[in-house]
Amino acid sequence: MSLPMKRLLIALSCAMAALSAAAQSTPPDDALYRALGGTPGLTKLMADFVPRLAADPRIGEFFKETKLSELQKQLVDQFCVVSGGSCVYEGETMKNSHAEMKIRKADFNALVEVLQESMDRQGIPFSVQNRLLARLAPMHRDIVNTR
């Protein structure tokens, strides 16, 4: 797995740890998870999203040495947790995994665009996409580290 990918996974982990801590203090709301189709829906989404990331000319370089199947699995777990599912994410924190990757705001935005394309292709309603993106947005501060 490439260093950039490891850092991406670490950054995602941090966000997940924070969400897990919050989830322990309140009853879980899995409405978004269910709206995304649960684990099967997230698996299908990531099967479309991860290859698009790797092929994207703007950000594909970050994934060139990444084991895409492992990334896909970790993203399913992470998105499951973020959306309120009962999965467990065991990857690195977002901050640690992205610390030395020199990720710019434009790189982050490109990833979001690719995710939106994948969600569109999977027929995920716009309102559900917005709810997911709102939950993922706080990761920005742990991922973007270069101007």
Side-chain angles (χ1 to χ4, degrees), residues 1 5 8-9 12 46 50 53 63 66-76:
M1 181 179 301
M5 190 64 237
L8 173 63
L9 294 174
L12 290 174
M46 292 307 131
V50 170
L53 284 176
F63 304 96
T66 299
K67 184 174 181 183
L68 297 181
S69 61
E70 182 62 24
L71 172 62
Q72 183 176 325
K73 181 194 175 308
Q74 290 202 356
L75 288 176
V76 168

Side-chain angles (χ1 to χ4, degrees), residues 4 7 23 38 43 54 60 63 80-81 91-92 104 119 123 136:
R7 291 185 181 138
T43 299
F63 304 96
C80 174
V81 173
E92 282 284 352
R104 302 166 298 147
M119 290 191 290
L136 295 171

Side-chain angles (χ1 to χ4, degrees), residues 101-118:
M101 290 179 66
K102 298 181 181 173
I103 297 177
R104 302 166 298 147
K105 185 176 182 178
D107 301 323
F108 184 88
N109 291 343
L111 182 137
V112 172
E113 288 174 19
V114 173
L115 177 58
Q116 288 174 305
E117 290 170 10
S118 290

Side-chain angles (χ1 to χ4, degrees), residues 25-87:
S25 63
T26 60
D29 175 9
D30 68 349
L32 177 56
Y33 172 73
R34 288 183 286 112
L36 290 164
T39 300
L42 290 171
T43 299
K44 187 176 175 187
L45 174 61
M46 292 307 131
D48 183 81
F49 176 55
V50 170
R52 286 178 181 280
L53 284 176
D56 190 279
R58 299 167 295 174
I59 57 176
E61 185 70 19
F62 289 112
F63 304 96
K64 74 177 185 176
E65 296 181 26
T66 299
K67 184 174 181 183
L68 297 181
S69 61
E70 182 62 24
L71 172 62
Q72 183 176 325
K73 181 194 175 308
Q74 290 202 356
L75 288 176
V76 168
D77 290 344
Q78 184 179 46
F79 279 51
C80 174
V81 173
V82 167
S83 66
S86 61
C87 304

Side-chain angles (χ1 to χ4, degrees), residues 11-24 78 81 89 91-93:
L12 290 174
S13 268
C14 283
M16 296 312 298
L19 288 171
S20 293
Q24 291 175 10
Q78 184 179 46
V81 173
Y89 174 74
E92 282 284 352
T93 65

